[in-house]
């Protein structure tokens, strides 16, 4: 198979710029697409070619499959990189790319479809011997069915949407009355967000940690892991700060977790890069499969920092049929990496704060900055409010935290609200510094955002 010469990037913002950088280094031409709201965006200026795909609303632009394919064929791209979000885990899109002779930079459509259903993916992992959170795998069609299942499992439980992610359709239910009251709204949200209102139940693991394993697989049955990322610091079930290695795993547990993820990926015949997410119960030292993301992750720079690998390059090579260039024993984890997400949002309410960035001051050395904006950029209300990521890498965790905290003091953003103070508060907090936190950390530390030292 001849190498990929031109890639259309079906995305925007920092991930589009990130993909462009690797394309340029590999001698591959890049094609940007943009909505009307993004006509002056950085990724549009940096790509070799750029095409308008329509109005600002995502359904009319970045989710417009036919328009994106039309442009890919027009500009004679031979591959499409979906980035994350938007169409990145859309099996229909991946299948249509294949039908039009375009290489989809990701796994096969069938795998995306299989892992896109949390119910099916749970069943697949169970068959592979990967532990899943005890729950009710069948689709629940009514509140009455849910109550019947819940009474067999015992409360508290998580009522979850089978499709999608980002916490949409997710509800914590502590008793029968709460389940009855929340079932319809969860089903409606899942249906409107993902076109699939299927719900299921999982046992609620209290004070858990969220740890994921980065995987890479070729088309010849070889699967390796690239170690784990700890993503426990979350607001509204969405990640804020990630680090690697996890401060809570022993080497024995780390090996067990990573080898389990590899076994699960092999079982389903996974290809390209992907991430298997787990809930980890620190008290019992048990981990449970949560879901699999069949795309590049926002937090992939953490893995790149500790391994020295370029995951986008790896994606491209695997998509064009090359074998894995590494064996498991070739992959080394060096030092400690920390990534923080800078959101255009109120640090206390977490509501988005769109507007014009009047001033942006960023450090220039000693840190990796994956940003989507510059001074004068307009943060649109149409898209995710994340405007950038800051990544540091140091010899050990304490040094990484100190470096990150120092970095935050030298960032200045004016014109919009950001969560900068929240990130400063987290990295200054003794509990975080000692690695003592769970997914409820921000709820517990709700006043932390007020600290700005």
């Amino acid at each position: 198979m001849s190498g990929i010469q031109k890639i259309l990037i079906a995305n925007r913002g920092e991930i589009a710029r990130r993909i462009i950088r690797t394309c340029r280094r590999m001698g591959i031409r890049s094609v940007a697409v943009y909505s009307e709201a993004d006509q002056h965006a950085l990724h549009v200026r940096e790509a070799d070619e750029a095409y308008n795909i329509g109005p600002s609303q995502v359904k009319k632009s970045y989710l417009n499959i036919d328009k994106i394919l039309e442009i890919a064929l027009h500009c004679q791209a031979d591959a499409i990189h979906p980035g994350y979000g938007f169409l990145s885990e859309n099996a229909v899109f991946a299948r249509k790319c294949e039908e039009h002779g375009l290489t989809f930079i990701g796994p096969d459509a069938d795998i995306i479809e299989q892992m896109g259903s949390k119910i099916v993916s749970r069943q697949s992992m169970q068959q592979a011997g990967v532990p899943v959170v005890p729950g009710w795998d069948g689709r629940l069609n009514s509140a009455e069915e849910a109550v019947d299942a819940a009474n067999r499992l015992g409360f508290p439980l998580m009522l979850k949407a089978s499709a999608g992610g980002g916490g949409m359709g997710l509800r914590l239910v502590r008793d029968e009355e709460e389940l009855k009251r929340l079932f319809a709204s969860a089903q409606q949200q899942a249906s409107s967000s993902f076109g699939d209102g299927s719900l299921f139940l999982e046992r609620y693991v209290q004070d858990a940690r969220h740890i994921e394993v980065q995987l890479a697989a070729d088309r010849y049955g070889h699967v390796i892991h690239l170690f784990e990322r700890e993503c426990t610091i979350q607001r509204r079930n969405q990640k804020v700060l990630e680090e690697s290695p996890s401060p809570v795993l022993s080497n024995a547990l780390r090996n067990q977790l990573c080898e389990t993820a590899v076994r699960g990926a092999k079982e389903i015949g996974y290809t390209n890069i992907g991430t298997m997410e787990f809930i980890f119960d620190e008290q019992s030292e048990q981990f449970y499969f949560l879901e699999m993301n069949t795309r590049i992750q926002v937090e992939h720079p953490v893995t790149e920092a500790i391994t020295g690998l370029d995951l986008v390059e790896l994606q491209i090579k695997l998509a064009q049929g090359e074998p894995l260039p590494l064996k498991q024993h070739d992959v080394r984890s060096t030092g400690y990496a920390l990534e923080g997400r800078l959101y255009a949002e109120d640090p206390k309410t977490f509501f988005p704060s769109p507007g014009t960035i009047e001033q942006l001051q960023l450090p220039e050395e000693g840190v990796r900055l994956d940003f989507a904006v510059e001074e004068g950029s307009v943060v649109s209300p149409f898209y995710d409010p994340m405007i950038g990521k800051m990544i540091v890498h140091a010899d050990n965790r304490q040094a990484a935290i100190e470096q990150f905290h120092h970095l935050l003091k030298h960032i200045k953003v004016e014109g919009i609200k950001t969560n900068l103070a929240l990130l400063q508060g987290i990295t200054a907090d003794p509990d975080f510094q000692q690695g003592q936190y769970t997914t409820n950390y921000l709820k517990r530390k709700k006043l932390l955002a007020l600290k700005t030292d």
Side-chain angles (χ1 to χ4, degrees), residues 226-242:
L226 306 177
F227 302 100
E228 86 283 4
R229 296 184 289 257
E230 168 113 26
C231 309
T232 297
I233 305 291
Q234 302 180 5
R235 54 71 168 130
R236 293 182 176 175
N237 299 306
Q238 292 185 329
K239 301 162 188 170
V240 176
L241 192 146
E242 302 96 354

Side-chain angles (χ1 to χ4, degrees), residues 401 405 423-437 441 444-445 448 451:
I401 292 172
H405 194 66
L423 293 171
Q424 289 173 328
I426 294 170
T427 50
D429 179 47
D431 284 348
F432 174 76
Q433 291 179 355
Q434 293 168 22
Q436 296 175 351
Y437 56 83
Y441 173 81
R444 239 180 355 100
K445 301 273 182 178
L448 206 55
K451 297 180 180 178

